[in-house]
Amino acid sequence: MSVANQAAAAPSAALPSLKTFRRIVIKAGSSLLIDREQGCVKRRWLESLAQDIADLHAQGTDVLVVSSGSIALGRTVLGLPGGGLKLEDSQAAAAVGQIALARIWAEVLADRKITAGQILVTLGDTEERHRYLNARATIGRLLDLRAVPVINENDTVATSEIRYGDNDRLAARVATMTSADLLILLSDVPGLYTAPPSENPAAELVAVVARVDAVIEAMAGGGGSALSRGGMRTKIEAAKIATAGGTHMLIADGRVAHPVSRLHALVPCTWFLTSSNPVTARKKWIAGSLEPRGALHVDAGAAKAIANGKSLLPAGVTRVEGNFTSGDCVLIRNAQAAEIGRGLVGYDASEAVLIAGRNSQDIPALLGTPGRAVIIHQDDMVLARDRITAWEAGTDGKS
Ligand code: GLU
């Protein structure tokens, strides 16, 4: 039995329903969004996607959009030639196109009473821990306020060494970083085939991938289309990032109207399933992969609150040890100096010293800038009593 047949034989009814997801990242690529001949946005299609987003939003799901298209839009406006662009040309095109892209997203969402918030990220914002905590906090706040973050790579400043270059992997990192439980990659194909269908007419659509292994990677073939950078290969890379971080991923055909709501029915697409979830995966990473750079000593009240699953507030910190920077892993020690947990700290050591023992509402006065109310967020914390379990469970991914 071929891999495709095995996968196709998986009971479709057992696949998760869109309704079960709490936070969904939807990635739309340039070839779907941009009319190649006219060099403008395919407005009708985008309206239908915006309606799907509004429907999910109305049922309480957090929705994040990762939208490509800035370079494709900007190059038309600037009259740049077809084919590959030089780095400075694609940066200039992105600078021009991103304004139009963000405006169109804001319009189509506003028509449905949804506020859009633009976030432009570079590789460092998702890979360096202190920056990642910042990006995550901003996105988290936007979602709390029921806005829809519209995210793209900051192509105007990203050079080849420090860029993703494709929004598939970027979307996967955004999904794991924000603890999304589903990533939908809208594509110009229905999903992953056992071989590139253009080369092999006998190729079959793979319905479910339980694990990305060498066989799956071999199916991916080569690069993308003229407009978008990501081909199936970057989608498989994205699947590895997403599933390692506890996020399920779906590749689905985006070339149709209402590309997301149609997924409520059983349409052909490819699911990449994970046995983990975003919080477990992150906790495992914190528990096992990071060298602690210091410690926060806490009072009995804070120790109890933490044991009950609460975040650590500056008020409960009695002493700060070590020379850490925000985003580093630090130990949490109780009054007897025993390790009761560890986590990613939201402040540099020099700031932590100033706010230790103080009320969160005094932070702006103490630091001269508004800061976060918590010093270690509960999602970024592993309790010593859970550490072994967290280490054994989950996957290898950082999230
Ligand atoms: N960030 C690029 C843009 O907005 C797109 C990258 C991709 O095609 O995946 O044009």
Side-chain angles (χ1 to χ4, degrees):
M1 193 189 252
S2 73
V3 178
N5 285 340
Q6 283 180 42
S12 338
L15 288 172
S17 140
L18 279 199
K19 289 208 179 75
T20 58
F21 296 101
R22 192 179 45 73
R23 184 168 288 179
I24 302 181
V25 176
I26 299 171
K27 182 255 169 179
S30 304
S31 62
L32 298 176
L33 265 155
I34 311 296
D35 182 317
R36 202 199 291 214
E37 254 109 70
Q38 312 285 328
C40 63
V41 167
K42 292 182 194 160
R43 185 82 188 213
R44 291 240 328 250
W45 179 83
L46 185 60
E47 297 275 355
S48 82
L49 174 57
Q51 189 53 49
D52 290 356
I53 292 170
D55 293 345
L56 285 171
H57 192 262
Q59 73 186 33
T61 311
D62 291 339
V63 184
L64 298 89
V65 172
V66 173
S67 174
S68 310
S70 67
I71 299 176
L73 273 177
R75 69 188 297 163
T76 316
V77 178
L78 292 171
L80 292 167
L85 290 179
K86 287 193 294 220
L87 179 64
E88 57 272 30
D89 282 346
S90 57
Q91 290 179 320
V96 170
Q98 184 61 36
I99 297 180
L101 188 64
R103 197 195 61 230
I104 292 163
W105 271 107
E107 278 170 15
V108 295
L109 290 172
D111 286 347
R112 291 158 181 89
K113 311 250 173 312
I114 296 173
T115 305
Q118 175 185 254
I119 309 260
L120 298 178
V121 291
T122 53
L123 190 63
D125 295 318
T126 59
E127 301 309 295
E128 287 167 32
R129 281 197 308 280
H130 66 279
R131 282 165 64 183
Y132 142 157
L133 290 184
N134 271 335
R136 202 183 66 187
T138 313
I139 294 172
R141 188 67 190 127
L142 277 173
L143 294 170
D144 289 347
L145 295 166
R146 298 303 290 144
V148 167
V150 178
I151 302 164
N152 196 0
E153 184 158 18
N154 194 348
D155 292 303
T156 52
V157 296
T159 58
S160 42
E161 304 81 50
I162 55 151
R163 75 195 310 219
Y164 277 96
D166 67 89
N167 276 1
D168 293 325
R169 288 176 305 146
L170 174 73
R173 286 298 291 131
V174 165
T176 59
M177 183 170 95
T178 57
S179 302
D181 37 16
L182 177 65
L183 165 63
I184 302 176
L185 297 183
L186 295 177
S187 174
D188 52 9
V189 288
L192 173 70
Y193 283 86
T194 46
S198 52
E199 291 160 26
N200 186 345
E204 293 173 55
L205 187 74
V206 180
V208 185
V209 174
R211 204 166 64 87
V212 180
D213 55 17
V215 179
I216 296 296
E217 289 192 56
M219 293 175 186
S225 68
L227 266 187
S228 62
R229 292 215 187 75
M232 197 45 75
R233 216 169 28 209
T234 58
K235 291 181 177 48
I236 298 297
E237 288 302 317
K240 283 201 248 173
I241 296 169
T243 54
T247 303
H248 295 298
M249 194 183 102
L250 184 53
I251 302 178
D253 202 335
R255 295 167 299 180
V256 287
H258 296 288
V260 174
S261 60
R262 71 192 273 274
L263 299 170
H264 286 296
L266 289 172
V267 296
C269 58
T270 304
W271 281 90
F272 294 80
L273 300 177
T274 173
S275 54
S276 186
N277 68 61
V279 174
T280 312
R282 178 170 31 250
K283 291 199 178 209
K284 189 205 165 203
W285 169 58
I286 295 167
S289 315
L290 301 174
E291 186 68 29
R293 301 272 175 223
L296 298 176
H297 293 253
V298 303
D299 61 23
K304 192 163 163 221
I306 291 168
N308 288 331
K310 298 277 188 313
S311 297
L312 176 62
L313 300 176
V317 177
T318 53
R319 193 156 71 82
V320 176
E321 204 182 296
N323 188 17
F324 49 83
T325 52
S326 115
D328 279 344
C329 178
V330 296
L331 301 177
I332 306 169
R333 295 192 184 279
N334 65 11
Q336 290 72 44
E339 178 188 340
I340 55 169
R342 55 178 67 197
L344 304 185
V345 64
Y347 285 95
D348 293 348
S350 56
E351 297 166 328
V353 167
L354 294 175
I355 61 174
R358 308 294 291 266
N359 202 302
S360 297
Q361 68 208 28
D362 299 337
I363 292 175
L366 291 165
L367 299 183
T369 50
R372 273 186 253 303
V374 303
I375 194 159
I376 301 183
H377 193 276
Q378 66 203 60
D379 287 351
D380 295 330
M381 190 190 291
V382 188
L383 299 184
R385 64 162 196 235
D386 300 331
R387 198 160 156 236
I388 302 300
T389 340
W391 173 235
E392 283 168 358
T395 60
D396 291 333
K398 65 181 177 180
S399 59

